[in-house]
Amino acid sequence: SQQGEEDPQALSIQEGENATMNCSYKTSINNLQWYRQNSGRGLVHLILIRSNEREKHSGRLRVTLDTSKKSSSLLITASRAADTASYFCATDANDYKLSFGAGTTVTVRA
Amino acid sequence: KAGVTQTPRYLIKTRGQQVTLSCSPISGHRSVSWYQQTPGQGLQFLFEYFSETQRNKGNFPGRFSGRQFSNSRSEMNVSTLELGDSALYLCASSPETGRAGELFFGEGSRLTVL
């Protein structure tokens, strides 16, 4: 079973637009992470936000975390064609594993 | 630094056979995790090893097993293969000694069971 659920399942945007995706989870966490996966390849770590943090930025990425609602959002600003990928949230519940959501597939149109 | 290396990248097996997948972590990383990715179930945790000890195991049947060697390299084995075992098997390493931190993933081993 998966810890997280992501919304939307798929997203299509124009180059230059912003993309927002959401993640909800069920249990208490130590941290929440976001990963990107390009078409059947390995996952690449994007950003980690700890349970005592509310917002974090990394380049064009902005992540928020609301532990009271057990939810997180990932915002990609000024999207590029290279941002076309699947994005996964993953939660660390202090049990030596990450639990991944089902992912959001983002398509950036030129 | 070289990344996480998984071998083989692609393999085809028939039902009832067994398969061994190999993972070499990033140099200095002592934690190795394995995940199974399928279109239907998404990314499912298989197991995590640290210093040759399995610290957690996912909800998979006993046909799925793994181990870690003293040089941190890891292998996983699936015996008596079933059609549903067709998947992308991903290995990830981490320098963290405690709770899960950032994971560094390999490109995966894509297994097809016929």
Side-chain angles (χ1 to χ4, degrees):
Chain A
S1 63
Q2 291 174 322
Q3 156 82 307
E5 293 183 4
E6 295 181 60
D7 170 57
Q9 289 186 339
L11 184 58
S12 180
I13 56 174
Q14 201 74 30
E15 208 165 20
E17 292 181 336
N18 296 342
T20 300
M21 59 210 84
N22 303 296
C23 168
S24 60
Y25 56 92
K26 298 172 186 173
T27 64
S28 297
I29 61 172
N30 290 314
N31 65 65
L32 185 144
Q33 303 176 35
W34 287 89
Y35 287 81
R36 183 187 74 227
Q37 184 180 36
N38 290 92
S39 193
R41 303 190 64 178
L43 280 74
V44 175
H45 181 267
L46 295 176
I47 196 165
L48 180 154
I49 185 166
R50 303 195 185 282
S51 60
N52 61 353
E53 297 176 311
R54 292 296 167 258
E55 186 171 316
K56 204 162 182 180
H57 296 253
S58 177
R60 294 183 295 113
L61 305 179
R62 172 179 169 256
V63 169
T64 63
L65 179 64
D66 187 335
T67 53
S68 66
K69 294 181 179 178
K70 291 186 169 57
S71 68
S72 173
S73 68
L74 171 67
L75 168 67
I76 305 172
T77 61
S79 63
R80 306 166 182 169
D83 295 328
T84 294
S86 292
Y87 292 82
F88 296 88
C89 68
T91 53
D92 163 23
N94 196 26
D95 53 0
Y96 305 116
K97 71 177 186 184
L98 291 183
S99 296
F100 285 84
T104 294
T105 300
V106 175
T107 302
V108 181
R109 306 186 308 272
Chain B
K1 239 182 196 179
V4 177
T5 303
Q6 291 189 245
T7 57
R9 288 292 313 280
Y10 302 90
L11 64 166
I12 300 173
K13 294 284 187 178
T14 56
R15 279 182 298 174
Q17 287 187 312
Q18 73 157 11
V19 66
T20 298
L21 308 177
S22 180
C23 173
S24 293
I26 291 172
S27 178
H29 287 194
R30 294 165 63 189
S31 169
V32 174
S33 304
W34 289 89
Y35 291 82
Q36 180 198 63
Q37 186 176 29
T38 60
Q41 297 297 316
L43 280 151
Q44 299 289 322
F45 171 77
L46 282 158
F47 11 71
E48 190 267 357
Y49 291 90
F50 180 82
S51 290
E52 303 178 68
T53 299
Q54 185 183 88
R55 298 194 294 190
N56 199 352
K57 186 179 190 301
N59 188 25
F60 279 83
R63 301 184 297 106
F64 291 80
S65 63
R67 59 178 175 169
Q68 185 182 34
F69 302 96
S70 58
N71 61 359
S72 294
R73 192 176 69 84
S74 178
E75 288 182 349
M76 66 163 285
N77 183 276
V78 187
S79 62
T80 320
L81 285 166
E82 301 177 359
L83 295 179
D85 297 332
S86 294
L88 181 66
Y89 290 87
L90 292 162
C91 170
S93 71
S94 170
E96 295 290 325
T97 58
R99 300 186 298 270
E102 173 184 352
L103 295 185
F104 296 80
F105 281 85
E107 293 292 335
S109 292
R110 184 168 294 281
L111 170 66
T112 301
V113 182
L114 302 176

